[in-house]
Amino acid sequence: MALRLGATIRGNKYSFRLVEKLGDKTVFSPVFKAEVLPGVQSLLPKSRWAVVKSADLENQTQVDCLVKEYKYYKKPSIESSRNFRNLCDIINDPIGWTAQKPFCLAFEWMDMTLAEVPFEEHMKDLVLVANIVKVCLEAFVELEKEHLVYSDLKPANVLISSVGGLSKVKIGDLGLAGPEGGNPRWVQPEAFRAPEVWTGVSCFHKADVWSIAAMILQWFDPNILGNADNIDKTLIHPMAWCLAKIILLFDPSCSSIPPPSNVDKTLQVYFKLAQNLTITQAEEDSDELLLQIPSFKVWANLAMDAGIPKVVLDAIRILAVPNPTNRPSALQALQSPEYKALQKAAAAYGN
């Protein structure tokens, strides 16, 4: 049966009635909210709702991502994980996939994504931020055991539900995960892309660690990272604009980020432009810089004045190390004093 609202499709365990089309500007695959109904063996569903995800058969990238996600959910560290959204059923088989018999994955329902959570109302919510950091780090440890990188951390993939007044957090969408070092250039969303990935290194485990800090930082301050506010996207390449922000925030001396290979002249040009942007004036004869990005120390002081807890800022700083050689792995971060202080403060929050 073709996927359309109102249709009921049958999985291995349950049936699913498609009730709402889901997604935002970062989601292009067919994704639905579905009511979970008793299946062929009259199994009673544990939850009323699920997310049913498929792919456009004419879009090979979507197809490959969905099949890859299905394959990764069979890996022991992911299948047993409490940090990834549960795969609760499979609809049809990827072999013999047709428009009338679509292959779909049914996942547990989560109430919202981090993208839908207003920062202003939650910037002092230590429990939410601590849970996000904990789940992401633990998930990346599990992926590292399988020699995989996630490479797609962003607010739309951080899933949140309220359970007994507490925030349950999970990671969704493994479609862009892949073997460490085996991905094409410039994976990861621009705002959360690790500096070494920008400069031409393939995506390895520590690039995922960087993305946690970058995502939380950008949730607090939407234009502090990324290319959205680039004044001229036709003249200033995203790599230059985004790297210039990272340099200003975390590497003012321009000494920590590994430069591109001498072989790649194009990346060298963009890297040099990024360095120049950090000292470019907004206008001729102006003392004001084009990029108004403070050092992280200055930004953190302003953030504390606005009410963001210091333990959150300390956790961001320990993860956002420009040189991946000095950046902690996810496991090292879980053992760090900064992480432990964040979790301790979250446990005491509201008590």
Side-chain angles (χ1 to χ4, degrees):
M1 178 179 288
L3 297 177
R4 63 179 187 274
L5 291 179
T8 299
I9 52 179
R10 183 184 298 173
N12 292 343
K13 299 177 182 177
Y14 309 109
S15 291
F16 301 88
R17 186 170 67 86
L18 308 181
V19 299
E20 182 183 345
K21 188 86 163 58
L22 300 175
D24 60 15
K25 62 183 179 180
T26 71
V27 178
F28 305 102
S29 302
V31 182
F32 298 87
K33 181 177 183 179
E35 183 179 10
V36 188
L37 306 171
V40 288
Q41 299 176 10
S42 297
L43 285 173
L44 295 176
K46 297 177 181 178
S47 175
R48 183 182 178 186
W49 304 111
V51 171
V52 171
K53 181 178 180 182
S54 190
D56 181 348
L57 262 180
E58 296 181 0
N59 186 320
Q60 193 58 47
T61 300
Q62 286 187 17
V63 170
D64 292 345
C65 285
L66 190 70
V67 173
K68 188 165 59 169
E69 186 164 22
Y70 172 51
K71 179 180 72 175
Y72 289 154
Y73 264 93
K74 293 181 177 180
K75 290 187 174 291
S77 295
I78 298 170
E79 187 177 35
S80 61
S81 174
R82 61 186 178 184
N83 299 305
F84 295 100
R85 175 169 58 181
N86 291 336
L87 175 62
C88 55
D89 206 353
I90 299 158
I91 298 131
N92 299 320
D93 194 289
I95 299 172
W97 186 348
T98 67
Q100 295 304 312
K101 195 177 179 182
F103 171 60
C104 308
L105 300 177
F107 295 97
E108 70 172 309
W109 175 259
M110 301 287 285
D111 295 334
M112 66 186 74
T113 70
L114 181 60
E116 300 169 277
V117 177
F119 151 70
E120 296 82 3
E121 298 174 19
H122 294 272
M123 67 178 179
K124 298 179 183 178
D125 188 345
L126 275 170
V127 176
L128 176 60
V129 176
N131 279 350
I132 291 170
V133 173
K134 176 177 183 290
V135 165
C136 289
L137 287 173
E138 289 181 351
F140 294 161
V141 168
E142 291 159 350
L143 286 175
E144 189 180 26
K145 289 178 183 176
E146 304 292 350
H147 308 290
L148 296 172
V149 286
Y150 183 66
S151 80
D152 195 29
L153 188 65
K154 56 187 178 184
N157 284 343
V158 176
L159 312 172
I160 302 168
S161 284
S162 181
V163 180
L166 297 176
S167 296
K168 178 174 75 171
V169 176
K170 294 197 176 185
I171 302 298
D173 197 348
L174 285 168
L176 291 180
E180 272 200 293
N183 19 57
R185 177 186 287 177
W186 291 350
V187 293
Q188 297 186 300
E190 287 181 347
F192 318 125
R193 189 172 297 164
E196 70 273 15
V197 178
W198 274 121
T199 58
V201 177
S202 192
C203 192
F204 288 86
H205 169 72
K206 288 186 178 181
D208 275 340
V209 173
W210 170 278
S211 68
I212 302 171
M215 181 186 68
I216 295 171
L217 187 60
Q218 199 252 6
W219 183 54
F220 289 155
D221 191 343
N223 285 324
I224 196 74
L225 293 170
N227 194 49
D229 61 341
N230 188 334
I231 59 168
D232 193 338
K233 294 182 174 69
T234 60
L235 289 179
I236 303 176
H237 192 276
M239 172 180 167
W241 191 262
C242 294
L243 264 185
K245 289 183 172 183
I246 291 172
I247 291 169
L248 286 166
L249 266 170
F250 299 111
D251 188 23
S253 65
C254 297
S255 60
S256 296
I257 298 172
S261 162
N262 291 332
V263 177
D264 201 321
K265 302 301 182 185
T266 302
L267 289 187
Q268 285 185 324
V269 170
Y270 294 153
F271 188 68
K272 185 63 177 176
L273 176 57
Q275 292 175 318
N276 289 339
L277 281 171
T278 66
I279 56 172
T280 300
Q281 295 171 322
E283 295 177 6
E284 195 173 340
D285 300 325
S286 169
D287 291 332
E288 194 172 274
L289 291 177
L290 177 66
L291 270 170
Q292 294 291 307
I293 304 293
S295 69
F296 183 79
K297 183 177 181 180
V298 170
W299 184 90
N301 286 334
L302 294 171
M304 281 191 289
D305 289 343
I308 297 174
K310 184 177 183 297
V311 286
V312 172
L313 301 168
D314 289 343
I316 291 173
R317 191 65 189 91
I318 194 68
L319 303 177
V321 177
N323 191 322
T325 302
N326 301 325
R327 190 182 310 146
S329 67
L331 183 58
Q332 288 169 333
L334 286 168
Q335 297 167 344
S336 70
E338 291 82 0
Y339 172 81
K340 292 175 182 177
L342 174 61
Q343 297 302 323
K344 182 178 180 181
Y349 181 73
N351 288 347

